[in-house]
Amino acid sequence: MAVTVATPIDRAKRILQEIGTEGIRWTNAELGDWLNEFYAAAVAIKPSVSVVNEELQLVAGTKQTIPDGGERLLEVIRNTVGKMPPVFVATRRELDTVRRTWHSDEATTEIERFVFDELDPRHFYVYPPAAVGAAVEILYAKVPESHDVAQDYSTFSQEPFRLDAAYVPAAVDYMLYRAFSKDAQTGANLNRAQLHLNQYLSQVTGKAQSDQMASPNSPDASANPPGGNA
């Protein structure tokens, strides 16, 4: 059964003891806004919570940009034209040292390397320079589309939860953090807000660590291939 927006919002309302159908102290629209905020906050901490895998048509030259709405490049996998060879990462220092004029080398549709800078996450460079018609398969992080909370709750609450269902508890804690922060004039609510903030952060970062441990690329996984001895 698909998880809808109602799942995290209704859980948060039960904990807040918000009994109003539309919400009294914490309205449905307000909780919906915080859910939208959670999507962006989660992607900022762990970009892989919302990954898009698609083909990118490259512009001529070395400098490239990920699609509109993308937050940061995660990986360039392969060429999607010709014989579709893989693309490997390189550092700008490596290319600048070995081929000082690499930005003006002969253009081609077969890309060999890509360069990424954490300081400019929406752009990357390719080598050799891309010719018209070059295309690659990329992975990039994108904040999910926001829910329109101006609609009636019965409408937007039935929209799908934008992330994997495993992130519903983190979404609930994020909304509770924002809800108790609204009444942070009292020490008890301030403490509750901090508690839920810490739980939200722990769940998102903890999921990142468990995903890494369970990855087929992890040393533990590669040491025990299917059919091998544990």
Side-chain angles (χ1 to χ4, degrees), residues 53-58 64 73 75-81 85-87 109-114 124 126 130 133-139:
N53 180 322
E54 69 181 36
E55 181 181 60
L56 177 68
Q57 298 293 323
L58 301 180
Q64 309 295 328
L73 177 74
E75 182 67 278
V76 179
I77 300 173
R78 63 186 174 103
N79 289 269
T80 55
V81 297
V87 181
T109 57
E110 189 169 294
I111 304 304
E112 299 176 9
R113 299 283 190 271
F114 78 95
F124 64 103
V126 296
V136 294
E137 180 183 355
I138 66 169
L139 300 178

PDB file of all heavy atoms in Angstrom, residues 53-58 64 73 75-81 85-87 109-114 124 126 130 133-139:
ATOM      1  N   ASN A  53      17.897   9.452 -12.012  1.00  0.00           N
ATOM      2  CA  ASN A  53      18.799   8.807 -12.973  1.00  0.00           C
ATOM      3  C   ASN A  53      18.247   9.095 -14.353  1.00  0.00           C
ATOM      4  O   ASN A  53      17.144   8.637 -14.691  1.00  0.00           O
ATOM      5  CB  ASN A  53      18.850   7.291 -12.716  1.00  0.00           C
ATOM      6  CG  ASN A  53      19.782   6.566 -13.680  1.00  0.00           C
ATOM      7  OD1 ASN A  53      19.870   6.889 -14.854  1.00  0.00           O
ATOM      8  ND2 ASN A  53      20.446   5.537 -13.192  1.00  0.00           N
ATOM      9  N   GLU A  54      18.973   9.874 -15.156  1.00  0.00           N
ATOM     10  CA  GLU A  54      18.461  10.188 -16.484  1.00  0.00           C
ATOM     11  C   GLU A  54      19.595  10.533 -17.445  1.00  0.00           C
ATOM     12  O   GLU A  54      20.741  10.776 -17.041  1.00  0.00           O
ATOM     13  CB  GLU A  54      17.452  11.326 -16.421  1.00  0.00           C
ATOM     14  CG  GLU A  54      17.995  12.686 -16.067  1.00  0.00           C
ATOM     15  CD  GLU A  54      16.897  13.738 -16.015  1.00  0.00           C
ATOM     16  OE1 GLU A  54      15.773  13.414 -15.587  1.00  0.00           O
ATOM     17  OE2 GLU A  54      17.166  14.888 -16.410  1.00  0.00           O
ATOM     18  N   GLU A  55      19.246  10.549 -18.703  1.00  0.00           N
ATOM     19  CA  GLU A  55      20.199  10.923 -19.740  1.00  0.00           C
ATOM     20  C   GLU A  55      20.281  12.442 -19.833  1.00  0.00           C
ATOM     21  O   GLU A  55      19.261  13.132 -19.779  1.00  0.00           O
ATOM     22  CB  GLU A  55      19.757  10.348 -21.088  1.00  0.00           C
ATOM     23  CG  GLU A  55      20.708  10.668 -22.232  1.00  0.00           C
ATOM     24  CD  GLU A  55      20.228  10.114 -23.559  1.00  0.00           C
ATOM     25  OE1 GLU A  55      19.117  10.509 -23.983  1.00  0.00           O
ATOM     26  OE2 GLU A  55      20.938   9.307 -24.164  1.00  0.00           O
ATOM     27  N   LEU A  56      21.497  12.955 -19.948  1.00  0.00           N
ATOM     28  CA  LEU A  56      21.719  14.391 -20.085  1.00  0.00           C
ATOM     29  C   LEU A  56      22.375  14.665 -21.429  1.00  0.00           C
ATOM     30  O   LEU A  56      23.444  14.137 -21.723  1.00  0.00           O
ATOM     31  CB  LEU A  56      22.618  14.907 -18.959  1.00  0.00           C
ATOM     32  CG  LEU A  56      22.993  16.392 -19.030  1.00  0.00           C
ATOM     33  CD1 LEU A  56      21.763  17.264 -18.786  1.00  0.00           C
ATOM     34  CD2 LEU A  56      24.083  16.722 -18.001  1.00  0.00           C
ATOM     35  N   GLN A  57      21.717  15.470 -22.233  1.00  0.00           N
ATOM     36  CA  GLN A  57      22.313  15.922 -23.484  1.00  0.00           C
ATOM     37  C   GLN A  57      23.333  17.010 -23.158  1.00  0.00           C
ATOM     38  O   GLN A  57      22.996  18.020 -22.548  1.00  0.00           O
ATOM     39  CB  GLN A  57      21.232  16.477 -24.419  1.00  0.00           C
ATOM     40  CG  GLN A  57      20.174  15.463 -24.837  1.00  0.00           C
ATOM     41  CD  GLN A  57      20.739  14.367 -25.713  1.00  0.00           C
ATOM     42  OE1 GLN A  57      21.621  14.603 -26.553  1.00  0.00           O
ATOM     43  NE2 GLN A  57      20.242  13.143 -25.537  1.00  0.00           N
ATOM     44  N   LEU A  58      24.570  16.795 -23.532  1.00  0.00           N
ATOM     45  CA  LEU A  58      25.627  17.741 -23.196  1.00  0.00           C
ATOM     46  C   LEU A  58      25.667  18.910 -24.174  1.00  0.00           C
ATOM     47  O   LEU A  58      25.340  18.758 -25.344  1.00  0.00           O
ATOM     48  CB  LEU A  58      26.981  17.029 -23.198  1.00  0.00           C
ATOM     49  CG  LEU A  58      27.128  15.843 -22.236  1.00  0.00           C
ATOM     50  CD1 LEU A  58      28.523  15.246 -22.343  1.00  0.00           C
ATOM     51  CD2 LEU A  58      26.835  16.260 -20.797  1.00  0.00           C
ATOM     52  N   GLN A  64      29.387  21.736 -18.023  1.00  0.00           N
ATOM     53  CA  GLN A  64      28.037  21.199 -18.135  1.00  0.00           C
ATOM     54  C   GLN A  64      27.233  21.549 -16.887  1.00  0.00           C
ATOM     55  O   GLN A  64      27.797  21.829 -15.823  1.00  0.00           O
ATOM     56  CB  GLN A  64      28.081  19.673 -18.311  1.00  0.00           C
ATOM     57  CG  GLN A  64      29.000  19.190 -19.419  1.00  0.00           C
ATOM     58  CD  GLN A  64      28.552  19.639 -20.786  1.00  0.00           C
ATOM     59  OE1 GLN A  64      27.350  19.778 -21.044  1.00  0.00           O
ATOM     60  NE2 GLN A  64      29.512  19.872 -21.701  1.00  0.00           N
ATOM     61  N   LEU A  73      25.217  17.184  -8.510  1.00  0.00           N
ATOM     62  CA  LEU A  73      25.593  15.997  -9.267  1.00  0.00           C
ATOM     63  C   LEU A  73      26.104  14.937  -8.294  1.00  0.00           C
ATOM     64  O   LEU A  73      26.820  15.243  -7.345  1.00  0.00           O
ATOM     65  CB  LEU A  73      26.696  16.336 -10.266  1.00  0.00           C
ATOM     66  CG  LEU A  73      27.234  15.153 -11.092  1.00  0.00           C
ATOM     67  CD1 LEU A  73      26.226  14.747 -12.153  1.00  0.00           C
ATOM     68  CD2 LEU A  73      28.574  15.520 -11.724  1.00  0.00           C
ATOM     69  N   GLU A  75      26.882  11.440  -9.776  1.00  0.00           N
ATOM     70  CA  GLU A  75      27.710  10.524 -10.555  1.00  0.00           C
ATOM     71  C   GLU A  75      27.430  10.687 -12.044  1.00  0.00           C
ATOM     72  O   GLU A  75      26.322  11.027 -12.447  1.00  0.00           O
ATOM     73  CB  GLU A  75      27.397   9.078 -10.150  1.00  0.00           C
ATOM     74  CG  GLU A  75      28.201   7.996 -10.843  1.00  0.00           C
ATOM     75  CD  GLU A  75      29.670   8.007 -10.494  1.00  0.00           C
ATOM     76  OE1 GLU A  75      30.382   8.833 -11.129  1.00  0.00           O
ATOM     77  OE2 GLU A  75      30.103   7.246  -9.622  1.00  0.00           O
ATOM     78  N   VAL A  76      28.475  10.498 -12.843  1.00  0.00           N
ATOM     79  CA  VAL A  76      28.323  10.353 -14.294  1.00  0.00           C
ATOM     80  C   VAL A  76      28.679   8.904 -14.589  1.00  0.00           C
ATOM     81  O   VAL A  76      29.789   8.462 -14.274  1.00  0.00           O
ATOM     82  CB  VAL A  76      29.252  11.314 -15.072  1.00  0.00           C
ATOM     83  CG1 VAL A  76      29.079  11.094 -16.580  1.00  0.00           C
ATOM     84  CG2 VAL A  76      28.935  12.761 -14.714  1.00  0.00           C
ATOM     85  N   ILE A  77      27.757   8.157 -15.180  1.00  0.00           N
ATOM     86  CA  ILE A  77      27.914   6.709 -15.290  1.00  0.00           C
ATOM     87  C   ILE A  77      28.542   6.280 -16.606  1.00  0.00           C
ATOM     88  O   ILE A  77      29.548   5.572 -16.629  1.00  0.00           O
ATOM     89  CB  ILE A  77      26.547   6.018 -15.107  1.00  0.00           C
ATOM     90  CG1 ILE A  77      25.994   6.358 -13.716  1.00  0.00           C
ATOM     91  CG2 ILE A  77      26.682   4.501 -15.297  1.00  0.00           C
ATOM     92  CD1 ILE A  77      24.589   5.875 -13.475  1.00  0.00           C
ATOM     93  N   ARG A  78      27.962   6.727 -17.725  1.00  0.00           N
ATOM     94  CA  ARG A  78      28.420   6.224 -19.027  1.00  0.00           C
ATOM     95  C   ARG A  78      27.969   7.146 -20.131  1.00  0.00           C
ATOM     96  O   ARG A  78      27.067   7.970 -19.952  1.00  0.00           O
ATOM     97  CB  ARG A  78      27.844   4.830 -19.294  1.00  0.00           C
ATOM     98  CG  ARG A  78      26.307   4.819 -19.382  1.00  0.00           C
ATOM     99  CD  ARG A  78      25.734   3.424 -19.501  1.00  0.00           C
ATOM    100  NE  ARG A  78      24.270   3.450 -19.447  1.00  0.00           N
ATOM    101  CZ  ARG A  78      23.479   3.327 -20.511  1.00  0.00           C
ATOM    102  NH1 ARG A  78      23.986   3.191 -21.712  1.00  0.00           N
ATOM    103  NH2 ARG A  78      22.156   3.346 -20.360  1.00  0.00           N
ATOM    104  N   ASN A  79      28.577   6.969 -21.281  1.00  0.00           N
ATOM    105  CA  ASN A  79      28.070   7.612 -22.486  1.00  0.00           C
ATOM    106  C   ASN A  79      26.787   6.884 -22.906  1.00  0.00           C
ATOM    107  O   ASN A  79      26.633   5.680 -22.663  1.00  0.00           O
ATOM    108  CB  ASN A  79      29.104   7.497 -23.613  1.00  0.00           C
ATOM    109  CG  ASN A  79      30.322   8.367 -23.379  1.00  0.00           C
ATOM    110  OD1 ASN A  79      30.378   9.516 -23.806  1.00  0.00           O
ATOM    111  ND2 ASN A  79      31.332   7.820 -22.687  1.00  0.00           N
ATOM    112  N   THR A  80      25.888   7.603 -23.551  1.00  0.00           N
ATOM    113  CA  THR A  80      24.651   6.961 -24.020  1.00  0.00           C
ATOM    114  C   THR A  80      24.547   6.996 -25.539  1.00  0.00           C
ATOM    115  O   THR A  80      23.480   6.747 -26.094  1.00  0.00           O
ATOM    116  CB  THR A  80      23.415   7.629 -23.392  1.00  0.00           C
ATOM    117  OG1 THR A  80      23.437   9.033 -23.651  1.00  0.00           O
ATOM    118  CG2 THR A  80      23.374   7.394 -21.887  1.00  0.00           C
ATOM    119  N   VAL A  81      25.648   7.311 -26.201  1.00  0.00           N
ATOM    120  CA  VAL A  81      25.705   7.253 -27.665  1.00  0.00           C
ATOM    121  C   VAL A  81      26.911   6.408 -28.064  1.00  0.00           C
ATOM    122  O   VAL A  81      27.808   6.159 -27.256  1.00  0.00           O
ATOM    123  CB  VAL A  81      25.798   8.664 -28.297  1.00  0.00           C
ATOM    124  CG1 VAL A  81      24.561   9.478 -27.992  1.00  0.00           C
ATOM    125  CG2 VAL A  81      27.045   9.399 -27.799  1.00  0.00           C
ATOM    126  N   PRO A  85      30.757   3.713 -23.728  1.00  0.00           N
ATOM    127  CA  PRO A  85      31.782   3.389 -22.732  1.00  0.00           C
ATOM    128  C   PRO A  85      31.519   4.112 -21.408  1.00  0.00           C
ATOM    129  O   PRO A  85      30.837   5.144 -21.366  1.00  0.00           O
ATOM    130  CB  PRO A  85      33.074   3.886 -23.379  1.00  0.00           C
ATOM    131  CG  PRO A  85      32.628   5.000 -24.274  1.00  0.00           C
ATOM    132  CD  PRO A  85      31.304   4.550 -24.816  1.00  0.00           C
ATOM    133  N   PRO A  86      32.051   3.587 -20.296  1.00  0.00           N
ATOM    134  CA  PRO A  86      31.871   4.238 -18.999  1.00  0.00           C
ATOM    135  C   PRO A  86      32.640   5.548 -18.924  1.00  0.00           C
ATOM    136  O   PRO A  86      33.579   5.781 -19.692  1.00  0.00           O
ATOM    137  CB  PRO A  86      32.423   3.209 -18.008  1.00  0.00           C
ATOM    138  CG  PRO A  86      33.416   2.439 -18.814  1.00  0.00           C
ATOM    139  CD  PRO A  86      32.835   2.353 -20.195  1.00  0.00           C
ATOM    140  N   VAL A  87      32.237   6.382 -17.978  1.00  0.00           N
ATOM    141  CA  VAL A  87      32.920   7.657 -17.726  1.00  0.00           C
ATOM    142  C   VAL A  87      33.485   7.602 -16.312  1.00  0.00           C
ATOM    143  O   VAL A  87      32.785   7.229 -15.374  1.00  0.00           O
ATOM    144  CB  VAL A  87      31.956   8.847 -17.865  1.00  0.00           C
ATOM    145  CG1 VAL A  87      32.687  10.160 -17.615  1.00  0.00           C
ATOM    146  CG2 VAL A  87      31.294   8.851 -19.231  1.00  0.00           C
ATOM    147  N   THR A 109      32.063  12.963 -29.155  1.00  0.00           N
ATOM    148  CA  THR A 109      30.840  12.498 -28.490  1.00  0.00           C
ATOM    149  C   THR A 109      31.142  11.384 -27.486  1.00  0.00           C
ATOM    150  O   THR A 109      30.243  10.899 -26.820  1.00  0.00           O
ATOM    151  CB  THR A 109      29.807  11.985 -29.515  1.00  0.00           C
ATOM    152  OG1 THR A 109      30.404  10.939 -30.282  1.00  0.00           O
ATOM    153  CG2 THR A 109      29.335  13.101 -30.427  1.00  0.00           C
ATOM    154  N   GLU A 110      32.421  10.979 -27.379  1.00  0.00           N
ATOM    155  CA  GLU A 110      32.793   9.917 -26.451  1.00  0.00           C
ATOM    156  C   GLU A 110      33.556  10.517 -25.272  1.00  0.00           C
ATOM    157  O   GLU A 110      34.757  10.775 -25.350  1.00  0.00           O
ATOM    158  CB  GLU A 110      33.634   8.851 -27.152  1.00  0.00           C
ATOM    159  CG  GLU A 110      33.866   7.612 -26.294  1.00  0.00           C
ATOM    160  CD  GLU A 110      34.468   6.464 -27.072  1.00  0.00           C
ATOM    161  OE1 GLU A 110      33.779   5.935 -27.973  1.00  0.00           O
ATOM    162  OE2 GLU A 110      35.624   6.108 -26.775  1.00  0.00           O
ATOM    163  N   ILE A 111      32.855  10.730 -24.179  1.00  0.00           N
ATOM    164  CA  ILE A 111      33.431  11.343 -22.990  1.00  0.00           C
ATOM    165  C   ILE A 111      34.197  10.296 -22.184  1.00  0.00           C
ATOM    166  O   ILE A 111      33.731   9.172 -21.992  1.00  0.00           O
ATOM    167  CB  ILE A 111      32.317  11.971 -22.118  1.00  0.00           C
ATOM    168  CG1 ILE A 111      31.491  12.972 -22.945  1.00  0.00           C
ATOM    169  CG2 ILE A 111      32.917  12.646 -20.885  1.00  0.00           C
ATOM    170  CD1 ILE A 111      32.297  14.067 -23.591  1.00  0.00           C
ATOM    171  N   GLU A 112      35.377  10.669 -21.681  1.00  0.00           N
ATOM    172  CA  GLU A 112      36.214   9.746 -20.921  1.00  0.00           C
ATOM    173  C   GLU A 112      36.224  10.054 -19.422  1.00  0.00           C
ATOM    174  O   GLU A 112      36.264   9.146 -18.598  1.00  0.00           O
ATOM    175  CB  GLU A 112      37.648   9.790 -21.444  1.00  0.00           C
ATOM    176  CG  GLU A 112      37.797   9.370 -22.904  1.00  0.00           C
ATOM    177  CD  GLU A 112      39.228   9.534 -23.395  1.00  0.00           C
ATOM    178  OE1 GLU A 112      40.122   9.815 -22.567  1.00  0.00           O
ATOM    179  OE2 GLU A 112      39.454   9.400 -24.612  1.00  0.00           O
ATOM    180  N   ARG A 113      36.250  11.337 -19.078  1.00  0.00           N
ATOM    181  CA  ARG A 113      36.375  11.745 -17.676  1.00  0.00           C
ATOM    182  C   ARG A 113      35.372  12.859 -17.355  1.00  0.00           C
ATOM    183  O   ARG A 113      34.949  13.602 -18.229  1.00  0.00           O
ATOM    184  CB  ARG A 113      37.785  12.276 -17.385  1.00  0.00           C
ATOM    185  CG  ARG A 113      38.906  11.273 -17.617  1.00  0.00           C
ATOM    186  CD  ARG A 113      38.996  10.269 -16.484  1.00  0.00           C
ATOM    187  NE  ARG A 113      40.195   9.451 -16.571  1.00  0.00           N
ATOM    188  CZ  ARG A 113      40.272   8.310 -17.240  1.00  0.00           C
ATOM    189  NH1 ARG A 113      39.211   7.881 -17.931  1.00  0.00           N
ATOM    190  NH2 ARG A 113      41.399   7.609 -17.253  1.00  0.00           N
ATOM    191  N   PHE A 114      35.040  12.958 -16.069  1.00  0.00           N
ATOM    192  CA  PHE A 114      34.284  14.128 -15.607  1.00  0.00           C
ATOM    193  C   PHE A 114      34.933  14.665 -14.346  1.00  0.00           C
ATOM    194  O   PHE A 114      35.555  13.921 -13.570  1.00  0.00           O
ATOM    195  CB  PHE A 114      32.804  13.798 -15.369  1.00  0.00           C
ATOM    196  CG  PHE A 114      32.499  13.067 -14.081  1.00  0.00           C
ATOM    197  CD1 PHE A 114      32.100  13.756 -12.940  1.00  0.00           C
ATOM    198  CD2 PHE A 114      32.605  11.678 -14.012  1.00  0.00           C
ATOM    199  CE1 PHE A 114      31.813  13.078 -11.757  1.00  0.00           C
ATOM    200  CE2 PHE A 114      32.315  11.000 -12.836  1.00  0.00           C
ATOM    201  CZ  PHE A 114      31.916  11.697 -11.705  1.00  0.00           C
ATOM    202  N   PHE A 124      29.585  20.582 -13.701  1.00  0.00           N
ATOM    203  CA  PHE A 124      30.717  19.668 -13.794  1.00  0.00           C
ATOM    204  C   PHE A 124      31.372  19.867 -15.155  1.00  0.00           C
ATOM    205  O   PHE A 124      30.817  20.547 -16.036  1.00  0.00           O
ATOM    206  CB  PHE A 124      30.276  18.207 -13.595  1.00  0.00           C
ATOM    207  CG  PHE A 124      29.347  17.665 -14.645  1.00  0.00           C
ATOM    208  CD1 PHE A 124      29.813  16.815 -15.647  1.00  0.00           C
ATOM    209  CD2 PHE A 124      27.989  17.960 -14.620  1.00  0.00           C
ATOM    210  CE1 PHE A 124      28.955  16.294 -16.612  1.00  0.00           C
ATOM    211  CE2 PHE A 124      27.115  17.434 -15.584  1.00  0.00           C
ATOM    212  CZ  PHE A 124      27.604  16.609 -16.581  1.00  0.00           C
ATOM    213  N   VAL A 126      33.614  17.970 -18.460  1.00  0.00           N
ATOM    214  CA  VAL A 126      33.867  16.687 -19.118  1.00  0.00           C
ATOM    215  C   VAL A 126      35.122  16.777 -19.974  1.00  0.00           C
ATOM    216  O   VAL A 126      35.499  17.854 -20.452  1.00  0.00           O
ATOM    217  CB  VAL A 126      32.670  16.254 -20.004  1.00  0.00           C
ATOM    218  CG1 VAL A 126      31.439  16.007 -19.154  1.00  0.00           C
ATOM    219  CG2 VAL A 126      32.389  17.275 -21.105  1.00  0.00           C
ATOM    220  N   ALA A 130      32.881  18.076 -25.024  1.00  0.00           N
ATOM    221  CA  ALA A 130      31.742  17.445 -25.683  1.00  0.00           C
ATOM    222  C   ALA A 130      31.473  18.084 -27.041  1.00  0.00           C
ATOM    223  O   ALA A 130      31.499  19.307 -27.188  1.00  0.00           O
ATOM    224  CB  ALA A 130      30.506  17.561 -24.808  1.00  0.00           C
ATOM    225  N   GLY A 133      25.715  16.515 -29.803  1.00  0.00           N
ATOM    226  CA  GLY A 133      25.222  15.147 -29.897  1.00  0.00           C
ATOM    227  C   GLY A 133      25.700  14.251 -28.780  1.00  0.00           C
ATOM    228  O   GLY A 133      25.185  13.143 -28.593  1.00  0.00           O
ATOM    229  N   ALA A 134      26.684  14.696 -28.008  1.00  0.00           N
ATOM    230  CA  ALA A 134      27.178  13.897 -26.887  1.00  0.00           C
ATOM    231  C   ALA A 134      26.116  13.841 -25.790  1.00  0.00           C
ATOM    232  O   ALA A 134      25.402  14.816 -25.529  1.00  0.00           O
ATOM    233  CB  ALA A 134      28.469  14.481 -26.334  1.00  0.00           C
ATOM    234  N   ALA A 135      26.021  12.691 -25.134  1.00  0.00           N
ATOM    235  CA  ALA A 135      25.042  12.518 -24.052  1.00  0.00           C
ATOM    236  C   ALA A 135      25.582  11.490 -23.068  1.00  0.00           C
ATOM    237  O   ALA A 135      26.284  10.545 -23.446  1.00  0.00           O
ATOM    238  CB  ALA A 135      23.697  12.064 -24.600  1.00  0.00           C
ATOM    239  N   VAL A 136      25.262  11.682 -21.793  1.00  0.00           N
ATOM    240  CA  VAL A 136      25.712  10.765 -20.748  1.00  0.00           C
ATOM    241  C   VAL A 136      24.562  10.456 -19.802  1.00  0.00           C
ATOM    242  O   VAL A 136      23.595  11.210 -19.699  1.00  0.00           O
ATOM    243  CB  VAL A 136      26.895  11.357 -19.940  1.00  0.00           C
ATOM    244  CG1 VAL A 136      28.138  11.498 -20.805  1.00  0.00           C
ATOM    245  CG2 VAL A 136      26.516  12.698 -19.318  1.00  0.00           C
ATOM    246  N   GLU A 137      24.697   9.344 -19.120  1.00  0.00           N
ATOM    247  CA  GLU A 137      23.746   8.985 -18.068  1.00  0.00           C
ATOM    248  C   GLU A 137      24.298   9.497 -16.748  1.00  0.00           C
ATOM    249  O   GLU A 137      25.448   9.233 -16.411  1.00  0.00           O
ATOM    250  CB  GLU A 137      23.573   7.470 -18.007  1.00  0.00           C
ATOM    251  CG  GLU A 137      22.601   7.012 -16.928  1.00  0.00           C
ATOM    252  CD  GLU A 137      22.493   5.491 -16.844  1.00  0.00           C
ATOM    253  OE1 GLU A 137      23.103   4.804 -17.695  1.00  0.00           O
ATOM    254  OE2 GLU A 137      21.825   4.998 -15.916  1.00  0.00           O
ATOM    255  N   ILE A 138      23.475  10.244 -15.994  1.00  0.00           N
ATOM    256  CA  ILE A 138      23.931  10.828 -14.736  1.00  0.00           C
ATOM    257  C   ILE A 138      22.976  10.493 -13.594  1.00  0.00           C
ATOM    258  O   ILE A 138      21.803  10.159 -13.806  1.00  0.00           O
ATOM    259  CB  ILE A 138      24.087  12.359 -14.832  1.00  0.00           C
ATOM    260  CG1 ILE A 138      22.716  13.038 -15.045  1.00  0.00           C
ATOM    261  CG2 ILE A 138      25.058  12.757 -15.919  1.00  0.00           C
ATOM    262  CD1 ILE A 138      22.752  14.557 -14.883  1.00  0.00           C
ATOM    263  N   LEU A 139      23.501  10.586 -12.389  1.00  0.00           N
ATOM    264  CA  LEU A 139      22.705  10.557 -11.172  1.00  0.00           C
ATOM    265  C   LEU A 139      22.834  11.921 -10.521  1.00  0.00           C
ATOM    266  O   LEU A 139      23.942  12.450 -10.397  1.00  0.00           O
ATOM    267  CB  LEU A 139      23.216   9.489 -10.196  1.00  0.00           C
ATOM    268  CG  LEU A 139      23.235   8.032 -10.645  1.00  0.00           C
ATOM    269  CD1 LEU A 139      23.817   7.161  -9.543  1.00  0.00           C
ATOM    270  CD2 LEU A 139      21.854   7.557 -11.031  1.00  0.00           C
TER     271      LEU A 139
END
